[in-house]
Amino acid sequence: MRLFGCSHDQKGARAPKALSVVVPAYNSAAVIEQTVRRVAERLAGHDVEIIVVENGSTDGTVDICTRLTADWAPGPVTLTVLRSEKGMGNALRAGAEASRGAHVLLTADDLPFGFDDLDGAEKFADDHDGRLPEVLIGSKAHPDSQVRRGALRGTLTWGFAALRRVVLGMRTGDPQGTVLMDGDLIRGLVPDLVEPGFLFTTELVYLAERAGLVPVEVPVRLSADHDSHETRISRADVLAMGVGLFRLRARHRDGGRLAWSGSAPRG
């Protein structure tokens, strides 16, 4: 993939990695090895790091990750396995904090959209002289996305999106998709990110919006494998996230806006 073939920071100096791919892993024994190998194959030959963050698994995830790191062949694609407290947000925060990439991709352990997010990033760069926006989201809310939802899940999703707009005033349609962000930006935001669970990327994108950035949302297709699995988000999770929006607003109401001077296009 040519988009991440070279790594430079905002001033043009060589960056440690062109791209960091952060994968949270909780009870991911059935998918994590395939996911890691798919990412490595897709980005083979490029200066990329894969960061898997195990967060409280009770299955064989830890053993699989240990074996993967022990057997990993030296090369431009590196693999690091970290541990965090239980919670997707805790895992994503730990991975973002440890990242070294000029860009950072936050994805899921089963690659729910395949590589549609990276394809969208590459298309955007082709249309903008090789440059990326500071924030790009693989978005289920994009009108060209192909995402099958049951009636209940669709209603919950619509209701949560409406509440998010009302409570936080967010413009982004799907801040809980996969997120590709400028590396300096995400590492600058990490100290202010505290959500431990599913609201982590909502908090991240909310703070990016408050910094004056306009995320670019690209269409995705929900993979057949992901679509065949039962959702890991329960109604209780949705209720907790709704309450969490008010907590998030209160937390950042008096917070200062990040002074961001990156040079990438703003969509």
Side-chain angles (χ1 to χ4, degrees):
M1 183 172 186
R2 64 184 182 276
L3 180 60
F4 302 106
C6 60
S7 52
H8 295 85
D9 62 19
Q10 294 292 338
K11 298 179 180 179
R14 183 74 177 173
K17 285 289 182 180
L19 176 67
S20 302
V21 181
V22 178
V23 183
Y26 173 70
N27 286 348
S28 304
V31 296
I32 193 61
E33 181 168 2
Q34 180 185 24
T35 290
V36 168
R37 296 196 184 282
R38 285 181 65 194
V39 173
E41 180 179 356
R42 174 60 183 264
L43 299 171
H46 299 298
D47 202 18
V48 174
E49 63 177 355
I50 303 170
I51 303 175
V52 176
V53 188
E54 191 285 318
N55 59 112
S57 299
T58 57
D59 62 358
T61 300
V62 173
D63 292 338
I64 293 171
C65 289
T66 299
R67 174 173 52 79
L68 282 172
T69 54
D71 296 341
W72 200 256
V77 179
T78 63
L79 174 65
T80 301
V81 176
L82 305 176
R83 304 287 292 274
S84 77
E85 294 183 12
K86 183 178 178 180
M88 181 181 293
N90 290 328
L92 291 173
R93 183 170 54 253
E97 186 175 29
S99 69
R100 299 176 294 150
H103 292 88
V104 178
L105 174 66
L106 307 181
T107 187
D109 62 355
D110 59 350
L111 298 177
F113 312 134
F115 295 106
D116 287 349
D117 41 19
L118 294 182
D119 290 343
E122 189 169 50
K123 183 178 185 303
F124 184 96
D126 286 343
D127 294 338
H128 293 82
D129 299 322
R131 297 176 297 161
L132 285 172
E134 292 95 335
V135 186
L136 184 143
I137 298 173
S139 171
K140 299 181 295 296
H142 192 284
D144 293 332
S145 289
Q146 299 175 27
V147 181
R148 295 187 298 274
R149 292 191 181 102
L152 175 59
R153 188 170 182 177
T155 299
L156 292 174
T157 298
W158 179 88
F160 184 67
L163 186 62
R164 187 172 58 236
R165 288 192 296 271
V166 170
V167 175
L168 298 179
M170 292 185 70
R171 300 179 298 274
T172 303
D174 180 23
Q176 291 180 282
T178 55
V179 178
L180 177 68
M181 187 172 285
D182 178 276
D184 290 336
L185 174 61
I186 195 170
R187 288 184 288 271
L189 291 173
V190 159
D192 293 325
L193 300 171
V194 300
E195 284 296 326
F198 294 115
L199 271 181
F200 176 85
T201 55
T202 296
E203 183 178 28
L204 173 64
V205 176
Y206 177 56
L207 292 187
E209 285 193 5
R210 283 172 59 88
L213 304 178
V214 179
V216 171
E217 298 182 72
V218 298
V220 293
R221 297 161 297 174
L222 194 63
S223 70
D225 288 343
H226 184 91
D227 194 46
S228 65
H229 297 158
E230 290 294 328
T231 179
R232 303 181 196 183
I233 302 178
S234 66
R235 296 188 199 186
D237 289 328
V238 174
L239 177 60
M241 287 191 292
V243 173
L245 294 178
F246 291 93
R247 180 179 66 244
L248 203 161
R249 182 179 66 179
R251 178 185 306 131
H252 296 293
R253 176 179 295 144
D254 300 322
R257 292 157 64 100
L258 176 71
W260 176 246
S261 58
S263 58
R266 299 195 172 209

